């Protein structure tokens, strides 16, 4: 099953962000056993060209690759879908209208406005044009909730067709709420409750980025079902720092 189907079936999926732009780092994270990987084009060090190499590494290990776009422009989403990513994460959307416009980029007309071409990688360079018939069904739409404005209208965002995950960006959201990095602050906890309730009511998944496995497990226990555990860079840096600490 693809990510969208697994989430619809009620599974909890763990993944990590890829910011190093390295295909070997992507492969190392894939063999670690994550359910998904996500190339971060908003904050990461790689670009679209580096994404393809990371995607090839993940696909070789049978791990689906998603990407976070740097903006919700139609052309940015379309280019990534044509390479064959399993889903798109949209950052910093703050209204139902913005979300509705963004998720239309994930699907072909009449459901959306994705440009139609079959000579690209996702259609085996023109050899599998029949995949167009089911292309609208498998792409996961992940919308980030990163501001007070988004949290205030999260129920409306969750109800937009094509939204499969409401994904909390803890640093951005806590900062916008006036409690940067204080993930136990009442305002931040209340916002998490809003996201969880909206996702439950809409029958979709709530997601969040955790700093480590302990925090990820705690978020899972709260009801989050699409949980990111750090990034390739943070996992490497933490493991290296732990090793140095033990040696000294």
């Amino acid at each position: 099953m693809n990510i969208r189907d697994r989430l619809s079936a009620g599974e909890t999926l763990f993944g990590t962000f890829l910011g190093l732009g390295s295909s070997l780092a992507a492969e190392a994270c894939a063999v670690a056993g994550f359910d998904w990987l996500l190339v971060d084009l908003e904050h990461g060090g790689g670009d679209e060209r580096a994404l393809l190499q990371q995607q090839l590494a993940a696909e070789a290990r049978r791990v689906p690759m998603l990407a976070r776009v740097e903006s919700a422009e139609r052309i940015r989403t379309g280019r990534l879908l044509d390479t064959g990513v399993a889903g798109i994460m949209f950052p910093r959307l703050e209204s139902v209208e913005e979300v509705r416009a963004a998720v239309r980029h994930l699907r072909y007309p009449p459901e959306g406005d994705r440009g139609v071409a079959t000579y690209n990688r996702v259609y085996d360079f023109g050899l599998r044009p029949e995949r167009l018939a089911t292309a609208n069904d498998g792409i996961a739409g992940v919308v980030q909730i990163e501001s007070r404005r988004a949290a205030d209208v999260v129920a409306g965002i969750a109800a937009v067709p094509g939204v499969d995950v409401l994904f909390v960006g803890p640093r951005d959201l806590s900062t916008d709420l006036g409690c940067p990095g204080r993930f136990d602050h009442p305002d931040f906890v209340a916002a998490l409750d809003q996201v969880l309730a909206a996702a439950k009511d809409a029958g979709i998944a709530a997601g969040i980025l955790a700093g480590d496995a302990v925090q990820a497990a705690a978020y899972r226990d709260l009801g989050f079902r699409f949980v990111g555990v750090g990034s390739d860079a943070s996992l490497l840096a933490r493991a290296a720092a732990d090793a140095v600490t033990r040696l000294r």
Side-chain angles (χ1 to χ4, degrees):
M1 290 193 293
N2 59 40
I3 288 177
R4 202 174 188 215
D5 290 340
R6 293 181 69 184
L7 290 173
S8 295
E11 290 190 51
T12 297
L13 307 180
F14 294 98
T16 193
F17 282 42
L18 303 175
L20 292 176
S22 165
S23 58
L24 289 178
E27 187 172 21
C29 291
V31 298
F34 285 114
D35 297 301
W36 52 268
L37 301 174
L38 183 145
V39 171
D40 185 1
L41 296 177
E42 182 189 18
H43 294 299
D47 56 14
E48 289 179 2
R49 186 173 301 178
L51 180 147
L52 178 58
Q53 300 307 312
Q54 294 171 85
Q55 186 178 337
L56 289 169
E59 288 178 355
R61 300 295 185 166
R62 300 184 183 279
V63 178
M65 180 69 78
L66 299 91
R68 174 159 69 176
V69 290
E70 61 269 63
S71 74
E73 293 177 277
R74 187 182 72 89
I75 190 64
R76 299 268 65 81
T77 298
R79 286 180 62 85
L80 299 182
L81 293 177
D82 285 348
T83 69
V85 295
I88 298 291
M89 177 180 283
F90 296 103
R92 298 300 295 188
L93 301 182
E94 296 188 322
S95 72
V96 173
E97 292 74 20
E98 287 178 340
V99 170
R100 186 175 291 115
V103 297
R104 280 183 57 81
H105 305 334
L106 301 177
R107 290 173 175 83
Y108 295 115
E111 296 176 47
D113 56 14
R114 179 182 174 185
V116 182
T118 58
Y119 53 79
N120 44 51
R121 182 174 182 270
V122 72
Y123 297 109
D124 286 353
F125 309 102
L127 298 180
R128 300 288 184 273
E130 67 275 8
R131 292 178 183 169
L132 273 171
T134 57
N136 282 358
D137 302 331
I139 304 299
V142 184
V143 173
Q144 293 206 250
I145 305 300
E146 301 183 280
S147 68
R148 186 188 300 273
R149 287 183 62 192
D152 286 344
V153 295
V154 69
I157 291 173
V160 174
V163 176
D164 300 299
V165 181
L166 301 173
F167 193 90
V168 174
R171 289 287 176 183
D172 279 299
L173 181 56
S174 64
T175 298
D176 199 60
L177 291 172
C179 51
R182 296 170 59 191
F183 303 138
D184 58 349
H185 190 280
D187 290 347
F188 182 77
V189 173
L192 293 190
D193 289 341
Q194 284 180 278
V195 173
L196 286 165
K200 182 178 180 180
D201 289 345
I204 62 175
I208 194 167
L209 181 61
D212 54 34
V214 173
Q215 190 177 48
Y219 284 140
R220 173 201 59 200
D221 293 344
L222 285 176
F224 288 92
R225 295 196 293 110
F226 189 84
V227 182
V229 187
S231 68
D232 52 1
S234 68
L235 292 171
L236 173 61
R238 185 173 294 111
D242 287 346
V244 171
T245 299
R246 288 176 181 274
L247 291 171
R248 292 181 176 171

